[in-house]
Amino acid sequence: MKIEKLGKNHRKEVIGGLILISVIGILAVNLTKAKYQGIEDIELVKGEVNYKLPDFKMMAMYQNNNGSYEEVSELPGKNYKINESKSYCTINNVDKDDKAKLYTDKYGQHVIENISKNDKCYLYFDKNTEIVNTVLGSIEVNNYTPDFSKIATTVEGIFEYKGSDYSEGNKPVYYYRGDINNNWLVYGRDNEKYIWWRIIRTNSNGSIRVIYAGTSNSLTVSPNPKGEGTQIGSSSFNSNRSDNMYVGLKYTSGNTHGKTNNSTIIETINKWYEDLINNNKINSTYIDNRAGFCGDRTNNVSTSLAPMVNSGGGIGNIITHYGSKYRNEIKKEPTLSCFNKDDIYNIPVGLITADELAITGAVWLYKNPNHWLNTNQAYWTMSPVSFDYNVNNIAMAYVSAMFENGVLSSNNVKNSWGIRPVINLSSEIKISKGKGTINDPYIVSE
């Protein structure tokens, strides 16, 4: 919760579990813990203030459960929002304080502004979610926008992407973020074992994008969500690193967005996929080839980052930084759009992107062991990062990857790392049963 009083020369301090705002002795307390405290001495910028808790019992909180409000002792999370019309503050518990502002912002942060010392506030919280219908059935979607500069370490849930992707549809796009356990799906077989997947997101044409998570003999006992079993093997991204073209899933010499040649990793993925199709282990009619994959090779030309400006990059041995690096390392603004149509691959199988990792809870160079896409293994994405020279002046092509412990960063394309195939399942599929949990996954009817 963010509690603020607006005014001149205010200063915020964090001391222990308390948020302090010193404006002529104005104080804001972490209210979920305050009721267990007695008399305290709090050091402020100018001396100390002795207070008794009853003087600062500033609020009561009520949460809407099945249509009726019940008093709660802990602040509701971001999946609840302040009911602005019902919530209010009073001065000395008598007159309504019309200056006080009580609301939940677009990031799910509960905000109290313009309160006075003797105010007592009454907060009413409603669900900050909505139920929507998808090919998976009814799902609960959060109505706030996550802060993509922060790793998602707890259960955050499902969100709507506020933009369009590249699958050329008009349906909302929903993605799974945080330490979640409601996106397991079983589809296809490999050596008579069931193939388990995890849902990354939906696409704007109504299909769903899933990433390989391993195989199991059972429909109810999942494969280990960590370890090498979450991969089909390992491979270099490309066998050469000395040219910009090697950052591409497919590439053409001298053409920034060419697709003449297959990369090493796409050859490996194609062979695995064709084996499943040829041996009738996957029903190919359920694969959506129109949703596509994005290997964004757009050069970053932001004038605000001079070292990353390259108006003629992306070809040969010109030092180049690509859009994914700028969005995810610098701006912390992942996207599900693809900025150049030539970088869209209408193929049946591909890889996850760096932006999809970021939007679901990873942050560039930060460990996030609780991210649902962390497998304690290093594996490739398909997002180009840069072409540059190392300290020994050796040319290096870099593509982003998920490192151990959930770190999103870049990797030299010649290194051999894990492969987690990604496919798109048609909006025409039928879910025969399941709720998406690890013990009760969605089952695609064969």
Side-chain angles (χ1 to χ4, degrees):
M1 169 178 276
K2 180 169 64 177
I3 305 177
E4 296 190 3
K5 178 181 176 69
L6 304 181
K8 291 184 178 180
N9 301 321
H10 66 281
R11 176 174 174 177
K12 300 179 188 176
E13 294 184 355
V14 177
I15 301 177
L18 305 178
I19 301 173
L20 307 181
I21 304 172
S22 58
V23 186
I24 318 176
I26 297 300
L27 174 81
V29 182
N30 183 326
L31 296 164
T32 62
K33 298 180 180 179
K35 68 178 183 179
Y36 300 108
Q37 300 170 351
I39 299 175
E40 301 283 351
D41 290 339
I42 302 298
E43 294 185 1
L44 298 177
V45 178
K46 298 180 181 179
E48 297 182 353
V49 173
N50 297 324
Y51 74 95
K52 295 180 181 179
L53 181 61
D55 296 333
F56 288 93
K57 189 175 182 182
M58 295 167 52
M59 71 174 61
M61 296 178 294
Y62 303 88
Q63 181 175 296
N64 192 338
N65 295 320
N66 299 319
S68 61
Y69 290 94
E70 299 175 0
E71 187 169 9
V72 293
S73 59
E74 293 187 359
L75 183 71
K78 293 181 178 181
N79 58 332
Y80 279 84
K81 63 181 177 180
I82 294 174
N83 184 322
E84 296 181 39
S85 61
K86 192 173 181 64
S87 301
Y88 63 97
C89 295
T90 62
I91 303 173
N92 293 318
N93 212 24
V94 178
D95 299 321
K96 184 176 180 180
D97 186 350
D98 292 327
K99 293 181 180 180
K101 295 182 179 180
L102 314 172
Y103 63 96
T104 300
D105 67 18
K106 67 177 182 178
Y107 300 110
Q109 183 74 54
H110 307 316
V111 181
I112 301 177
E113 293 182 340
N114 292 348
I115 58 174
S116 300
K117 177 180 178 181
N118 296 317
D119 274 0
K120 292 187 178 180
C121 300
Y122 300 83
L123 299 183
Y124 292 82
F125 291 88
D126 295 323
K127 270 282 193 177
N128 197 14
T129 61
E130 63 178 316
I131 303 298
V132 300
N133 293 318
T134 68
V135 64
L136 300 169
S138 297
I139 58 175
E140 186 175 21
V141 179
N142 292 308
N143 280 331
Y144 64 91
T145 301
D147 184 349
F148 298 119
S149 68
K150 297 178 181 178
I151 59 175
T153 58
T154 59
V155 177
E156 294 196 12
I158 307 174
F159 295 82
E160 181 179 349
Y161 173 64
K162 305 300 182 182
S164 59
D165 65 2
Y166 40 87
S167 59
E168 298 183 351
N170 56 11
K171 295 184 178 180
V173 174
Y174 304 109
Y175 60 92
Y176 291 74
R177 178 178 171 84
D179 183 16
I180 48 91
N181 184 36
N182 60 343
N183 64 341
W184 291 90
L185 179 144
V186 178
Y187 169 66
R189 300 193 184 198
D190 189 357
N191 294 324
E192 303 310 314
K193 291 186 175 182
Y194 296 102
I195 304 177
W196 286 58
W197 308 79
R198 299 199 73 175
I199 303 164
I200 303 169
R201 63 182 178 94
T202 66
N203 301 305
S204 63
N205 69 350
S207 60
I208 58 175
R209 190 173 304 248
V210 297
I211 187 169
Y212 182 85
T215 60
S216 171
N217 291 318
S218 171
L219 288 172
T220 56
V221 180
S222 76
N224 190 338
K226 308 288 184 181
E228 293 182 358
T230 59
Q231 306 168 171
I232 64 166
S234 59
S235 167
S236 61
F237 193 88
N238 252 316
S239 59
N240 200 319
R241 65 190 179 200
S242 62
D243 192 289
N244 267 286
M245 64 182 172
Y246 297 118
V247 301
L249 196 67
K250 295 187 177 185
Y251 60 89
T252 301
S253 179
N255 184 341
T256 306
H257 306 282
K259 298 177 181 176
T260 305
N261 305 301
N262 283 337
S263 63
T264 304
I265 197 167
I266 197 64
E267 290 281 3
T268 303
I269 294 172
N270 284 345
K271 184 177 182 303
W272 171 83
Y273 179 78
E274 288 168 6
D275 176 67
L276 295 181
I277 294 297
N278 293 338
N279 290 288
N280 297 315
K281 296 175 181 177
I282 280 185
N283 185 342
S284 61
T285 60
Y286 287 163
I287 303 296
D288 189 317
N289 293 324
R290 298 169 299 122
F293 296 87
C294 180
D296 179 25
R297 288 174 283 190
T298 305
N299 295 178
N300 173 63
V301 293
S302 170
T303 55
S304 64
L305 293 164
M308 295 177 69
V309 174
N310 19 254
S311 59
I315 297 176
N317 58 4
I318 299 173
I319 295 176
T320 304
H321 296 267
Y322 293 95
S324 176
K325 177 182 176 71
Y326 179 65
R327 291 191 301 273
N328 296 304
E329 181 180 0
I330 308 300
K331 295 289 287 182
K332 304 293 190 295
E333 294 178 355
T335 181
L336 297 181
S337 298
C338 201
F339 294 102
N340 191 308
K341 289 187 176 181
D342 290 332
D343 290 330
I344 297 175
Y345 298 84
N346 294 116
I347 53 180
V349 61
L351 296 170
I352 197 169
T353 68
D355 293 88
E356 286 170 336
L357 283 171
I359 206 168
T360 55
V363 174
W364 195 267
L365 296 183
Y366 281 81
K367 291 182 180 180
N368 187 3
N370 293 331
H371 187 196
W372 69 266
L373 280 162
N374 168 46
T375 62
N376 294 340
Q377 300 291 309
Y379 59 90
W380 289 107
T381 81
M382 60 181 291
S383 298
V385 175
S386 63
F387 177 84
D388 209 336
Y389 295 82
N390 67 11
V391 292
N392 297 317
N393 204 34
I394 298 174
M396 295 282 185
Y398 293 96
V399 169
S400 64
M402 175 64 100
F403 285 57
E404 297 89 344
N405 294 326
V407 174
L408 174 59
S409 188
S410 60
N411 191 23
N412 168 9
V413 297
K414 283 192 70 174
N415 289 336
S416 182
W417 278 31
I419 307 172
R420 300 188 69 189
V422 173
I423 59 176
N424 296 295
L425 295 177
S426 167
S427 60
E428 301 302 317
I429 65 168
K430 303 297 181 183
I431 302 297
S432 62
K433 62 178 181 178
K435 298 179 181 179
T437 64
I438 195 169
N439 297 317
D440 189 17
Y442 294 115
I443 308 295
V444 177
S445 299
E446 298 182 0

